[in-house]
C-alpha cells in the first residue's frame, strides 16, 4: 500500500470518527422529535374524539385541544418543520373528523381558510418564540460555562503563583539549614544545632500543610460540577476534629470556641470544612502577631450556619485585603514574607463556594476576622 493511500485512509478514518457520532446524534434527535410530535397529535385527536362524541359537539373544545398540541409541539421540537406539519394535520383533522360531512374532507366549509391560517400562524409564532428562547438559553449556558472556566483558569493561575512562592521559600530554607548543619556541624553548639533542626522541622510541616491544601483543591477540581458530596454532619464533631488536627501541628495554639448548646447538624464534606477551619485558625495564629487566644464562634442562623475566626493581633494589611482570597501576596509588610498566607485562603474560598456558601475577611478594632457561611438544607432543620 502506498504512502498516499495510507494518508487518505487515515484522513477518512479521522473524518468518520467525527461525522459518524454527529450523524447518529442527529438521527436520534429526528426520531425523538418525530415520535413526540406523533404522540402529541394522536393524544389531541383522542381527547377531541372524547369531547366531540361523548360530550357536546362544541368545535371550540376541539380547536383549543389542537392549539395546545401545536404549542407543545413547537415548544419541544427544533425548527419550524414539525410545527408546520402539525398545523396542517390539525386543520385537516378538524375538517375530516369534526366537521360535517364527517370523515370527509371539505375545503369549501365556511371559515375554513381562517382556521387554517390561524393555526399555521400560531405554530409559526410559537416555533419562532421557542427557538429564540432556546438559543438565548443556550447562549446564557455557554456564557456561564465560559465564566466558570475563566474562574477555574484564574484559580489555577493564582495557585501556580502561590505554589511558586510558598513552596520555593521553605525548600530553600530547608536546603540552607541542612547544608549548614552538615558542613559546619563541629563548629556549632548544641543549641545552634537544635535550632537548625527545629527550623527544618517547622519548614517541613509547612510544606506538608501546603501539600494537603493542594490535594484538597485537586479533590474538588476533579469533579465536573465543582460541587462536593455533602452529608449531614454534627458541627461540634467537625470543629473538634479540626482543632485536634491543628494542635498536633501547633501545640501552643489557644482557641476559645463559642457555639450553640443545641444539637446542630449541617450538610457538608467534613474533611474539606475541617481543612477550612485549620487554614483560618493557623493563619490567625501565625500572622496575627499576637499570643492572645483565637475566638471561634459558630452561630445558628435561620437558613445557614456561620463560622467566625477572630484574632487579636495586627489585622490584615489594607493593601492585601482586596486580594486576600486570590492565593497571592501583595502585602506591603515584608517581615512576614517567609510564610505568606499563600494558597490557604484561596483553598478556603474554593471549598466554601463548592458548598454553596460565602466567605469574607475584615478588620475589627483589635485584629482580623474571617467569616464563612454554609447554607442549610432540608435535612439540616433538626435541632435538639
Amino acid at each position: 500500500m502506498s504512502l498516499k493511500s495510507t494518508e487518505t485512509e487515515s484522513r477518512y478514518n479521522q473524518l468518520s470518527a467525527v461525522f459518524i457520532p454527529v450523524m447518529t446524534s442527529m438521527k436520534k434527535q429526528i426520531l425523538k422529535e418525530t415520535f413526540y410530535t406523533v404522540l402529541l397529535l394522536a393524544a389531541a385527536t383522542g381527547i377531541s374524539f372524547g369531547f366531540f362524541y361523548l360530550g357536546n359537539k362544541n368545535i371550540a373544545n376541539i380547536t383549543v385541544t389542537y392549539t395546545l398540541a401545536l404549542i407543545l409541539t413547537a415548544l419541544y421540537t427544533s425548527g419550524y418543520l414539525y410545527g408546520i406539519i402539525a398545523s396542517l394535520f390539525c386543520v385537516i383533522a378538524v375538517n375530516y373528523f369534526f366537521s360535517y360531512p364527517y370523515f370527509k374532507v371539505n375545503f369549501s366549509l365556511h371559515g375554513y381558510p381562517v382556521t387554517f391560517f390561524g393555526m399555521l400562524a400560531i405554530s409559526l409564532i410559537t416555533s419562532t418564540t421557542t427557538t429564540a428562547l432556546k438559543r438565548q438559553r443556550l447562549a446564557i449556558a455557554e456564557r456561564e460555562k465560559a465564566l466558570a472556566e475563566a474562574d477555574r483558569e484564574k484559580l489555577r493561575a493564582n495557585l501556580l503563583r502561590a505554589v511558586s512562592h510558598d513552596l520555593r521559600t521553605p525548600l530553600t530554607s530547608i536546603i540552607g539549614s541542612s547544608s549548614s548543619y552538615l558542613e559546619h556541624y563541629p563548629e556549632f553548639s548544641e543549641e545552634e544545632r537544635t535550632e537548625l533542626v527545629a527550623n527544618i522541622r517547622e519548614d517541613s510541616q509547612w510544606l506538608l500543610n501546603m501539600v494537603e491544601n493542594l490535594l484538597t483543591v485537586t479533590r474538588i477540581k476533579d469533579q465536573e460540577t465543582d460541587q462536593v458530596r455533602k452529608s449531614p454532619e454534627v458541627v461540634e464533631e467537625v470543629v473538634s476534629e479540626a482543632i485536634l488536627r491543628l494542635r498536633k501541628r501547633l501545640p501552643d495554639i489557644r482557641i476559645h470556641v463559642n457555639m450553640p448548646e443545641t444539637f446542630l447538624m449541617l450538610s457538608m464534606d467534613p474533611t474539606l470544612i475541617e481543612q477550612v477551619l485549620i487554614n483560618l485558625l493557623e493563619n490567625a495564629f501565625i500572622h496575627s502577631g499576637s499570643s492572645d487566644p483565637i475566638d471561634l464562634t459558630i452561630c445558628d442562623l435561620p437558613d445557614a450556619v456561620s463560622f467566625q475566626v477572630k484574632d487579636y493581633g495586627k489585622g490584615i494589611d489594607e493593601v492585601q485585603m482586596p486580594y486576600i482570597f486570590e492565593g497571592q501576596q501583595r502585602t506591603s509588610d515584608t517581615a512576614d514574607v517567609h510564610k505568606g498566607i499563600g494558597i490557604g485562603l484561596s483553598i478556603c474560598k474554593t471549598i466554601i463556594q463548592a458548598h454553596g456558601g460565602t466567605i469574607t475577611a475584615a478588620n475589627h478594632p483589635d485584629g482580623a476576622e474571617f467569616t464563612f457561611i454554609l447554607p442549610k438544607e432540608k435535612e439540616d432543620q433538626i435541632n435538639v
Side-chain angles (χ1 to χ4, degrees):
M1 185 179 292
S2 65
L3 180 61
K4 187 175 181 180
S5 300
T6 304
E7 291 178 354
T8 303
E9 184 178 354
S10 177
R11 289 178 183 177
Y12 175 78
N13 291 334
Q14 291 175 357
L15 291 173
S16 298
V18 173
F19 284 109
I20 289 177
V22 173
M23 295 301 294
T24 303
S25 177
M26 289 178 62
K27 288 179 180 179
K28 288 182 179 179
Q29 183 69 17
I30 291 172
L31 289 174
K32 179 182 177 182
E33 293 184 350
T34 301
F35 174 77
Y36 187 81
T37 303
V38 172
L39 182 64
L40 277 175
L41 295 177
T45 302
I47 293 171
S48 298
F49 266 99
F51 280 135
F52 195 77
Y53 290 103
L54 300 179
N56 56 11
K57 296 187 177 183
N58 189 351
I59 197 66
N61 295 332
I62 312 301
T63 304
V64 169
T65 302
Y66 277 115
T67 301
L68 179 60
L70 278 178
I71 294 173
L72 292 175
T73 300
L75 186 62
Y76 291 102
T77 57
S78 56
Y80 305 100
L81 180 62
Y82 293 99
I84 293 173
I85 293 174
S87 64
L88 290 173
F89 174 85
C90 290
V91 173
I92 294 174
V94 170
N95 184 291
Y96 185 79
F97 294 117
F98 310 107
S99 298
Y100 185 84
Y102 303 121
F103 299 99
K104 290 183 180 180
V105 177
N106 185 2
F107 291 101
S108 63
L109 290 174
H110 178 70
Y112 185 79
V114 176
T115 304
F116 171 75
F117 287 111
M119 286 192 169
L120 183 61
I122 290 173
S123 175
L124 291 175
I125 292 171
T126 306
S127 297
T128 302
T129 304
T130 54
T131 300
L133 289 174
K134 288 174 186 176
R135 289 175 180 173
Q136 184 179 8
R137 217 164 36 231
L138 182 61
I140 292 173
E142 290 178 351
R143 182 173 178 272
E144 290 178 350
K145 184 178 179 181
L147 289 174
E149 184 61 29
D151 287 340
R152 283 193 289 268
E153 289 299 327
K154 183 178 179 181
L155 176 61
R156 292 189 188 102
N158 290 336
L159 289 175
L160 182 59
R161 282 194 291 268
V163 168
S164 65
H165 174 272
D166 287 340
L167 291 184
R168 184 172 60 243
T169 303
L171 279 173
T172 303
S173 176
I174 291 172
I175 293 171
S177 297
S178 59
S179 298
S180 297
Y181 185 88
L182 293 173
E183 294 173 4
H184 305 285
Y185 180 86
E187 304 171 12
F188 288 147
S189 63
E190 189 64 30
E191 183 179 349
E192 289 172 331
R193 295 169 188 164
T194 302
E195 183 180 356
L196 284 174
V197 174
N199 290 338
I200 293 173
R201 180 175 180 271
E202 181 183 357
D203 288 325
S204 300
Q205 287 179 333
W206 180 259
L207 284 175
L208 178 61
N209 185 35
M210 293 293 296
V211 172
E212 288 178 353
N213 278 319
L214 289 172
L215 292 175
T216 298
V217 77
T218 302
R219 178 181 175 183
I220 297 176
K221 289 303 170 185
D222 282 344
Q223 301 182 37
E224 294 181 0
T225 59
D226 286 354
Q227 296 296 314
V228 294
R229 295 178 181 176
K230 297 186 285 187
S231 60
E233 302 289 341
V234 180
V235 173
E236 184 178 2
E237 292 181 0
V238 174
V239 171
S240 299
E241 183 63 26
I243 293 175
L244 286 174
R245 286 175 56 192
L246 183 59
R247 279 181 174 157
K248 291 179 181 179
R249 186 184 304 160
L250 302 172
D252 297 331
I253 191 171
R254 291 187 295 163
I255 304 169
H256 287 169
V257 180
N258 299 304
M259 64 182 304
E261 295 182 358
T262 56
F263 182 75
L264 188 56
M265 295 283 291
L266 185 63
S267 291
M268 66 176 84
D269 184 317
T271 303
L272 296 181
I273 297 303
E274 286 172 16
Q275 190 66 43
V276 172
L277 291 169
I278 289 172
N279 286 351
L280 295 179
L281 292 168
E282 184 177 27
N283 282 339
F285 178 75
I286 294 174
H287 301 289
S288 66
S290 171
S291 59
D292 293 337
I294 301 164
D295 285 337
L296 172 58
T297 305
I298 295 97
C299 294
D300 185 13
L301 306 177
D303 299 318
V305 176
S306 70
F307 299 75
Q308 183 186 72
V309 175
K310 180 185 291 188
D311 65 55
Y312 298 90
K314 59 185 179 181
I316 304 169
D317 190 342
E318 293 300 329
V319 177
Q320 174 72 9
M321 184 71 78
Y323 316 101
I324 195 73
F325 293 108
E326 292 187 7
Q328 53 186 312
Q329 285 291 102
R330 301 193 186 190
T331 179
S332 59
D333 183 8
T334 57
D336 197 23
V337 175
H338 176 63
K339 290 187 178 69
I341 293 176
I343 68 171
L345 292 179
S346 178
I347 302 298
C348 292
K349 181 180 178 181
T350 302
I351 293 173
I352 298 305
Q353 286 183 337
H355 279 77
T358 59
I359 184 169
T360 57
N363 284 322
H364 63 88
D366 299 316
E369 61 184 25
F370 289 83
T371 304
F372 66 90
I373 298 175
L374 298 178
K376 290 181 179 179
E377 298 182 0
K378 292 182 180 179
E379 59 267 28
D380 301 327
Q381 308 296 330
I382 304 176
N383 290 331
V384 180

